[in-house]
Amino acid sequence: MPILPCHTCDSREPHRELTRDEKEWLKDRLVKRNVDDYRMCEAPGCRHVRTGLRQCAGYGDRHIRIPEPD
């Protein structure tokens, strides 16, 4: 699990790949076909999404967070 800077936490945190359900949610949110390069911050309560190269998800919305699972 890579340690990457998190825009929301303002620190370096572990990030993981998204699950299938999380990818589907993000595809709908960003209106994109492929979100394989996105990672989610694992810090407690964060769940901020970023790409491998950028600290934010992009597209003008810098604070996209994956919802907690049901």
Side-chain angles (χ1 to χ4, degrees), residues 3-54:
I3 305 296
L4 301 169
C6 177
H7 177 75
T8 305
C9 296
D10 197 27
S11 62
R12 296 178 60 81
E13 300 292 342
H15 284 67
R16 67 165 174 81
E17 291 185 13
L18 303 177
T19 65
R20 185 174 33 145
D21 289 341
E22 291 166 346
K23 285 181 182 181
E24 289 302 317
W25 181 88
L26 189 59
K27 284 179 188 178
D28 290 343
R29 177 76 161 78
L30 295 177
V31 190
K32 288 184 77 173
R33 285 184 166 177
N34 186 336
V35 293
D36 290 340
D37 59 337
Y38 285 80
R39 304 290 180 262
M40 184 183 76
C41 180
E42 286 275 88
C46 184
R47 301 181 66 83
H48 181 259
V49 178
R50 61 165 288 150
T51 65
L53 300 175
R54 298 179 63 186

